[in-house]
Amino acid sequence: MNDALFRCRAYVAGEFVDAELWADRFVLGGRALPVAEMSAATTHELGLLTTVGVMVGGERIEFDAWQDEAERLCDILGALTSVRA
């Protein structure tokens, strides 16, 4: 399969970047995070933007996304990692 499961824009360190979720990795602005090493995915609503937090190999990665995209992303990540946001 040559297509991502989900794509959105994410706000990281003051700029919008592309985010793509594949079956084996989550690419956030060019940084590939392996899904196999993810242990949690959570959201914190801020209004239109929602902060998404993902634990990857003991490191917490946080970024903002539009609320509906953040919820959908966490649903898919939850299914892939068996951890429900």
Side-chain angles (χ1 to χ4, degrees):
M1 184 174 173
N2 290 337
D3 203 14
L5 298 172
F6 186 77
R7 286 189 171 98
C8 68
R9 297 286 286 166
Y11 191 71
V12 181
E15 66 180 323
F16 280 98
V17 298
D18 292 323
E20 296 180 335
L21 179 60
W22 300 78
D24 63 340
R25 67 196 178 282
F26 177 58
V27 180
L28 181 63
R31 182 176 178 192
L33 306 167
V35 169
E37 293 181 19
M38 292 184 179
S39 60
T42 61
T43 61
H44 175 72
E45 294 181 20
L46 302 171
L48 292 176
L49 289 176
T50 296
T51 298
V52 177
V54 180
M55 289 297 291
V56 182
E59 178 186 2
R60 183 162 177 83
I61 308 294
E62 290 188 335
F63 58 93
D64 295 323
W66 298 115
Q67 184 178 8
D68 58 337
E69 292 179 341
E71 290 171 3
R72 180 75 180 125
L73 176 63
C74 281
D75 286 346
I76 297 170
L77 278 173
L80 290 175
T81 63
S82 299
V83 176
R84 185 86 180 148

